[in-house]
Amino acid sequence: MARMKFLCDAERCIECNGCVTACKNENEVPWGVNRRRVVTINDGMVGAEKSISVACMHCSDAPCMAVCPVDCFYRTDEGVVLHDKDLCIGCGYCFYACPFGAPQFPQAGAFGLRGKMDKCTFCAGGPEKDLSKEEFSKYGSNRLAQGKLPACAEMCSTKALLGGDGDVIADIYRQRVLKRGKGSEVWGWGTAYGKPDQKAAPAGSKS
Amino acid sequence: MKPFAVWARSFAVALALILPSTGTSVAQQGETQQQRAQSQPGNNAPVWRDVRSGKEEYTSIKGRETGVLVQTYGETWRQLKNGWITPIAGWLIAVVVVVIGAFFKWRGSIKVHGEPTGRLIERFTPFERYTHWVVAISFVVLGISGLVMMLGKYVLLPVIGYTLFAWLAQLSKHLHNFVGPVFVVSLLMFIVMFVKDNLPRLYDIKWFANLGGMISGEHVPSGRFNAGEKAWFWIGVVVLSLLLSASGLVLLFPNFDQVRAVMIEANVVHMVAGGAVIAISLGHIYLGTIGLDGAYEAMRNGYVDETWAREHHEYWYDDVKSGKIKAGTAMGQPDAPQAQH
């Protein structure tokens, strides 16, 4: 079975924020929450500017899952890290632990009132019945259940953001690297999926 | 904008003015990348170094640290929390419970040797008792709810299941967050109220030397509070509880735009101090309830029998008798509320 991954090509990303908009629209993300964001390094400097789109990377050994006090995270057979909002208590631990700043809360209120955590689902919904109304209102679209890939990557105008089977998108990126004749820079993969020589946690396992 | 955010931002601006180098380093790193793109086309190493440093870059998405692409504190915190703090705190508390249980089996409830005289001395005024119980009850609520959130995943969740445990954890979180401020305020009152009688005295050394006769059964004179109570006051009440209060307030108000690193540090302090203070508090709770006959009544009703006072706090008893310390008196049994005389 495929292991779903995201890959952002910094040589192609033009910071159009199309992925951010696509995500918000597709999933009807609550106001104040952004499941995806584009970060620009050396903004406005000719020859030095690089942009990267980042969201939940669906890590192999997910820190959010490890620190959650109610164990509300789970990993699907396709390696997508999802969570159950009915269990979430809004403690913020996943937000502390995540390297990518993916978990978001609708509020940051006094007395720790944050509301239920919200994050990128790889357009794979949540624990509710696939494509049900409850699933959509809590987690947004379930495009994987419809045989589609995440809206952000599908919408990317320069195909900088790739989302899908890790082997397939790595192959696409390898072609680009060969064509450019320069080194591979798959940002975030070491953090999210481990170094190539490390054995990744098997998909579908709950750690 | 919130006052704290305004203050934090003006502080950052002031800092940037004092340290001009921090303002230019971003541009310098950009220039390094510009030069690298000329000399070695396609080499983005300076950019990746910038990303790895975890500093804020430009993003149009507003929010806390949205400009940070990757942070490494989180993984360090996870290793500390899951690998060290949680298991050590959990086992420490379990071991303390077993040790106290064994001690109770061996020693039983420690009783006074002499006959009660029926003459009572007021040990705690009503205001002192109310403050103590507000601190104590809020402490127990915070301790239990904190343990549910820290250890429940490993201890309760496998037994009671996901739905019930999540409900319990949610309740614990709200109790923890709303009872916390009550604890902080009453704690400060408590410290002011009891600090004078907890100042260390020379004779406390003797108490420590044979642990107040807890093991030998020997009589060791002490003031209003013995050295063990003083140690609990300074270590548990002052140091650990103030650390818990300060770190707790950082975590309690995420609306002040604290960055993750600050909240992570506060959380580590909170968990370490919390585990330690819970473990020590079990000793205090034990002696204040079943461990030492008469101690609970003193804090419940405020009065102790003269025999109890002489056997447990002889210097205090002497001072009360000689009139150096003014304390109320009554006649009767200490296990019932007393009228003031």
Side-chain angles (χ1 to χ4, degrees):
Chain A
M1 190 153 252
R3 163 63 165 108
M4 295 300 176
K5 291 178 184 177
F6 277 126
L7 191 157
C8 185
D9 189 341
E11 296 297 315
R12 280 178 173 241
C13 181
I14 57 168
E15 201 218 344
C16 68
N17 282 292
C19 49
V20 179
T21 314
C23 172
K24 288 216 80 156
N25 183 60
E26 179 73 27
N27 295 302
E28 295 183 13
V29 177
W31 188 251
V33 173
N34 285 288
R35 291 182 176 182
R36 182 168 278 289
R37 63 190 198 276
V38 178
V39 178
T40 304
I41 300 105
N42 301 328
D43 185 39
M45 297 190 73
V46 179
E49 187 182 289
K50 293 276 180 279
S51 292
I52 292 169
S53 171
V54 63
C56 173
M57 292 289 275
H58 305 277
C59 298
S60 302
D61 177 20
C64 53
M65 197 182 268
V67 298
C68 178
V70 293
D71 202 18
C72 82
F73 291 89
Y74 62 101
R75 187 181 285 109
T76 71
D77 296 339
E78 290 173 313
V80 178
V81 176
L82 298 176
H83 71 296
D84 189 335
K85 284 194 180 183
D86 293 343
L87 302 179
C88 174
I89 62 170
C91 66
Y93 282 7
C94 50
F95 172 64
Y96 302 168
C98 178
F100 305 108
Q104 306 276 304
F105 293 88
Q107 301 144 256
F111 300 99
L113 294 173
R114 290 183 165 90
K116 306 279 185 189
M117 189 273 276
D118 191 277
K119 75 167 188 71
C120 158
T121 64
F122 207 87
C123 284
E128 265 79 9
K129 198 174 164 291
D130 275 354
L131 307 171
S132 63
K133 241 177 81 185
E134 293 74 38
E135 185 189 51
F136 186 80
S137 68
K138 283 182 197 164
Y139 308 97
S141 197
N142 190 343
R143 291 170 58 94
L144 289 200
Q146 298 170 314
K148 299 173 186 166
L149 287 169
C152 53
E154 295 293 279
M155 203 72 89
C156 181
S157 56
T158 59
K159 291 284 161 273
L161 184 63
L162 304 171
D165 183 348
D167 292 341
V168 175
I169 61 172
D171 255 354
I172 295 169
Y173 191 69
R174 189 177 297 119
Q175 300 282 334
R176 292 183 187 173
V177 169
L178 288 171
K179 193 117 185 167
R180 287 176 197 150
K182 63 175 285 278
S184 159
E185 287 159 349
V186 277
W187 179 78
W189 275 40
T191 303
Y193 313 128
K195 301 280 180 287
D197 55 335
Q198 281 172 355
K199 216 175 157 229
S205 73
K206 185 136 197 172
S207 62
Chain B
M1 210 191 288
K2 293 177 190 80
F4 183 81
V6 172
W7 179 85
R9 234 151 265 182
S10 33
F11 181 73
V13 169
L15 208 67
L17 289 173
I18 300 163
L19 309 163
S21 58
T22 52
T24 53
S25 69
V26 176
Q28 273 170 358
Q29 269 165 320
E31 278 161 23
T32 315
Q33 178 59 42
Q34 278 178 323
Q35 288 158 8
R36 193 66 54 88
Q38 295 287 319
S39 58
Q40 299 171 31
N43 184 344
N44 297 329
V47 165
W48 302 122
R49 259 198 299 282
D50 265 15
V51 168
R52 204 69 215 173
S53 73
K55 71 171 201 284
E56 290 245 24
E57 305 286 352
Y58 173 78
T59 178
S60 56
I61 306 300
K62 300 287 168 259
R64 191 176 322 201
E65 291 185 275
T66 46
V68 177
L69 267 173
V70 65
Q71 61 125 0
T72 53
Y73 299 102
E75 182 61 21
T76 313
W77 175 66
R78 169 214 181 155
Q79 304 285 351
L80 268 177
K81 177 183 175 292
N82 287 7
W84 296 89
I85 301 170
T86 306
I88 290 175
W91 284 112
L92 176 70
I93 291 163
V95 165
V96 168
V97 167
V98 170
V99 167
I100 287 176
F103 184 81
F104 183 65
K105 209 165 159 37
W106 170 56
R107 203 73 163 74
S109 185
I110 299 169
K111 302 219 182 327
V112 287
H113 303 292
E115 283 295 309
T117 59
R119 291 189 299 276
L120 306 182
I121 303 173
E122 188 180 35
R123 183 153 166 77
F124 298 109
T125 66
F127 191 48
E128 286 175 333
R129 282 181 279 140
Y130 295 146
T131 310
H132 172 269
W133 288 116
V134 173
V135 171
I137 293 167
S138 58
F139 178 88
V140 170
V141 171
L142 291 167
I144 292 173
S145 57
L147 287 177
V148 166
M149 289 184 280
M150 191 192 209
L151 302 169
K153 183 184 183 178
Y154 310 102
V155 179
L156 285 174
L157 177 60
V159 182
I160 65 175
Y162 279 82
T163 308
L164 191 57
F165 178 70
W167 175 84
L168 184 67
Q170 181 80 77
L171 179 72
S172 296
K173 187 202 142 191
H174 287 318
L175 277 174
H176 206 83
N177 287 352
F178 286 96
V179 172
V182 176
F183 177 74
V184 174
V185 173
S186 56
L187 175 79
L188 295 174
M189 285 168 62
F190 185 95
I191 291 173
V192 170
M193 206 174 280
F194 286 103
V195 68
K196 192 174 134 265
D197 290 327
N198 276 293
L199 292 172
R201 303 288 291 268
L202 215 58
Y203 51 69
D204 291 330
I205 298 168
K206 217 181 131 198
W207 191 95
F208 276 124
N210 56 6
L211 286 171
M214 264 192 297
I215 307 213
S216 60
E218 192 187 322
H219 174 74
V220 187
S222 62
R224 187 182 181 202
F225 299 114
N226 66 40
E229 289 171 299
K230 287 180 184 179
W232 162 239
F233 178 83
W234 289 107
I235 298 168
V237 178
V238 176
V239 175
L240 292 175
S241 295
L242 284 181
L243 277 175
L244 279 164
S245 301
S247 56
L249 289 173
V250 171
L251 298 166
L252 192 56
F253 295 100
N255 43 317
F256 286 129
D257 278 349
Q258 306 94 311
V259 294
R260 283 167 291 183
V262 171
M263 291 191 279
I264 284 170
E265 281 162 14
N267 184 277
V268 168
V269 171
H270 206 74
M271 285 195 298
V272 171
V277 84
I278 288 171
I280 305 172
S281 76
L282 292 172
H284 175 72
I285 294 169
Y286 167 74
L287 285 170
T289 52
I290 57 171
L292 189 74
D293 201 43
Y296 175 72
E297 284 73 20
M299 197 47 100
R300 175 73 181 80
N301 301 315
Y303 284 82
V304 293
D305 195 277
E306 282 193 359
T307 309
W308 190 95
R310 200 178 57 245
E311 291 191 16
H312 291 303
H313 299 276
E314 196 174 358
Y315 295 145
W316 176 69
Y317 170 77
D318 291 344
D319 284 352
V320 170
K321 277 292 170 191
S322 66
K324 257 172 84 181
I325 294 175
K326 295 234 180 310
T329 54
M331 296 296 285
Q333 299 291 316
D335 53 1
Q338 303 299 325
Q340 296 285 322
H341 291 283

